[in-house]
Amino acid sequence: MVSFISFVSLALALASTASAFPAYGTLAGLPREELARAVTNLEYVKAPPPPGPLAYNGTKLVYDKAHPFKAPGPNDIRGPCPGLNTLANHGYLPRNGIVTPGQVITACMEGYNMENWFARFATYAGHLVDGNLITNLMSLGGPTPKTGPAPPAPALAGGLDTHVVFEGDASMTRADAYWGDNHSFNQTLYDELASFMDKYGGGRYNWTVANEFRWQRIQDSMATNPEFSLMQPRYFTVYLETTFPILFFVDGRTTENRTLSKEDALSFFKTNKFPEDWYRTGVPSSFDGIFDVAAAHPIKPGKNVNGVNTYEVDPTQPDLSQFCGIYADFVNRIVTGLYPNPTGELLEALNINLQYLYDSISDNFCPDQQQFPYGKPQ
Ligand code: HEM
């Protein structure tokens, strides 16, 4: 009898372990049955509307007493984005790395003076493909090992580490997912970046370094990564990230000739720490400068189709001049590819988050171009 009871308890324990899905785990791309099981076991939180713009949007001290640096503990999640990792290491985001879209938007505005519409756009794009739409939580990274020998790159690692749907190839200080670790700081790549700062920026990160290093990383990935891809949304973000060190990492008291020192670059990229006494930029920013970086060495969206150095342009892909096309491609190809047949609460959550994504660009860029991949909600 005792052994029968232990057997039943063990079976129940195993069943509950099998069904325990982390509240912050991405649901995107799960096989149908796994998805249904996860949704049933998670508590649905209806996504609230995003926060509005800051009341005060000038420069201000960000590394203040209320936001001390603390390196992440063993259970704190960090990922490929030095901007968000830094916000978490200073408590502008929850230090465990499990966040809501509203927290990310507020933290990006508070910490970096990111324009409200743009913080909403980037955040809902990330959340739709990397977050948990049922619980309204997202993690800054995934459960993949942060160091050590490269495991085979999983299709979907979790959180912002998830490859292809937002995270992508040819990063400045992170290796391609093909090599196994797409999120940890990579010293070799940073050393190369530093040598570009010496060669093109007098030892600092400036627009010329942005142009040249961006191109170098694309060429390098094309020649070494057989699975190299510059398909959207990566084509857009690959240029975007190159501008961030100038737009967001330079101290806000520098008004002209905004360039970043090696010391400050290392602080953000490697330690994920604000430089001492650091002020955010005094000018709310979004994606200023990406067109110039792209124009320095033009290439169209595409990918290696048959091993290294087999890059082919995909003529169906929108380029930077078609911003609303990038949005439409993201929604109609990437989001529906991850969620082909949503129903019930999941469908409602998708439609709410898709609405918040579109709201961020409806007035300024894409009026009357809203996409309804799951039909117009009633
Ligand atoms: C608003 C929400 C944001 C999301 C969802 C997000 C997400 C990401 C992701 C997934 C990556 C990895 C892309 C890759 O290299 O493959 C990344 C890279 C990056 N992010 Fe963010 N990010 C956000 C905001 C920010 C902010 C506010 C900053 C700057 C203050 C920033 C700076 C960067 C930089 C510089 C990289 C490039 C890292 C490198 O190439 O070495 N991000 N971000």
Side-chain angles (χ1 to χ4, degrees):
M1 185 63 181
V2 171
S3 68
F4 176 71
I5 291 170
S6 338
F7 172 76
V8 170
S9 333
L10 178 69
L12 284 174
L14 285 176
S16 79
T17 311
S19 63
F21 191 88
Y24 57 83
T26 181
L27 297 167
L30 285 181
R32 186 197 286 242
E33 282 179 12
E34 226 175 296
L35 178 64
R37 217 171 23 243
V39 170
T40 313
N41 285 291
L42 293 167
E43 198 178 325
Y44 179 47
V45 176
K46 203 166 176 171
L54 294 174
Y56 169 70
N57 67 4
T59 185
K60 78 167 196 188
L61 179 66
V62 166
Y63 191 170
D64 59 12
K65 284 212 174 75
H67 299 92
F69 171 77
K70 261 172 76 179
N75 297 319
D76 295 334
I77 301 174
R78 297 292 180 268
C81 176
L84 298 181
N85 290 348
T86 302
L87 290 170
N89 286 348
H90 284 269
Y92 280 96
L93 282 174
R95 290 183 187 268
N96 65 2
I98 299 168
V99 299
T100 66
Q103 288 170 331
V104 175
I105 294 163
T106 300
C108 287
M109 293 190 300
E110 274 295 333
Y112 298 113
N113 211 353
M114 190 178 251
E115 275 188 67
N116 174 264
W117 77 264
F118 187 59
R120 288 187 282 139
F121 180 69
T123 302
Y124 286 110
H127 185 57
L128 272 161
V129 296
D130 288 339
N132 188 312
L133 300 175
I134 292 293
T135 60
N136 198 39
L137 293 171
M138 177 169 78
S139 71
L140 299 187
T144 43
K146 300 248 185 274
T147 52
L156 297 174
L160 290 179
D161 286 354
T162 309
H163 184 49
V164 164
V165 291
F166 196 115
E167 189 282 331
D169 294 331
S171 306
M172 292 183 286
T173 65
R174 270 74 178 159
D176 289 0
Y178 177 77
W179 305 110
D181 181 351
N182 64 353
H183 48 272
S184 306
F185 173 78
N186 182 307
Q187 188 68 48
T188 311
L189 290 178
Y190 177 78
D191 290 345
E192 204 179 348
L193 171 58
S195 76
F196 271 64
M197 293 192 207
D198 287 336
K199 189 166 169 194
Y200 296 103
R204 298 174 73 89
Y205 190 95
N206 65 9
W207 287 111
T208 314
V209 177
N211 296 346
E212 298 310 316
F213 195 57
R214 169 41 55 231
W215 182 232
Q216 155 66 17
R217 293 293 303 121
I218 289 175
Q219 284 181 304
D220 184 51
S221 285
M222 203 183 279
T224 57
N225 174 357
E227 293 171 7
F228 172 61
S229 171
L230 259 193
M231 299 282 280
Q232 297 288 6
R234 185 55 181 156
Y235 184 82
F236 177 65
T237 61
V238 92
Y239 292 111
L240 197 61
E241 290 162 12
T242 316
T243 69
F244 282 1
I246 299 174
L247 299 181
F248 298 117
F249 290 164
V250 176
D251 189 286
R253 289 163 294 183
T254 319
T255 47
E256 282 169 27
N257 266 337
R258 290 172 55 81
T259 60
L260 189 69
S261 71
K262 278 189 201 159
E263 193 188 351
D264 287 359
L266 211 50
S267 186
F268 280 106
F269 280 111
K270 183 178 183 180
T271 323
N272 299 146
K273 179 175 187 266
F274 290 121
E276 294 300 326
D277 185 41
W278 188 82
Y279 280 59
R280 73 180 185 204
T281 172
V283 186
S285 301
S286 51
F287 59 58
D288 319 63
I290 54 170
F291 298 103
D292 292 338
V293 178
H297 297 282
I299 182 172
K300 295 266 187 195
K303 59 183 173 193
N304 274 347
V305 290
N306 189 21
V308 299
N309 286 321
T310 58
Y311 190 85
E312 269 185 22
V313 169
D314 182 332
T316 66
Q317 282 271 286
D319 63 20
L320 291 186
S321 65
Q322 300 152 291
F323 182 69
C324 304
I326 297 174
Y327 152 73
D329 178 68
F330 182 75
V331 164
N332 293 326
R333 186 173 60 87
I334 305 284
V335 176
T336 60
L338 293 169
Y339 293 103
N341 301 301
T343 54
E345 288 169 341
L346 181 59
L347 176 60
E348 179 179 272
L350 271 161
N351 279 329
I352 292 174
N353 282 282
L354 284 166
Q355 184 66 48
Y356 293 158
L357 177 72
Y358 177 68
D359 289 345
S360 69
I361 53 170
S362 59
D363 298 336
N364 44 1
F365 291 106
C366 311
D368 304 322
Q369 295 189 55
Q370 182 163 12
Q371 305 294 314
F372 295 99
Y374 302 111
K376 267 194 181 179
Q378 299 307 312

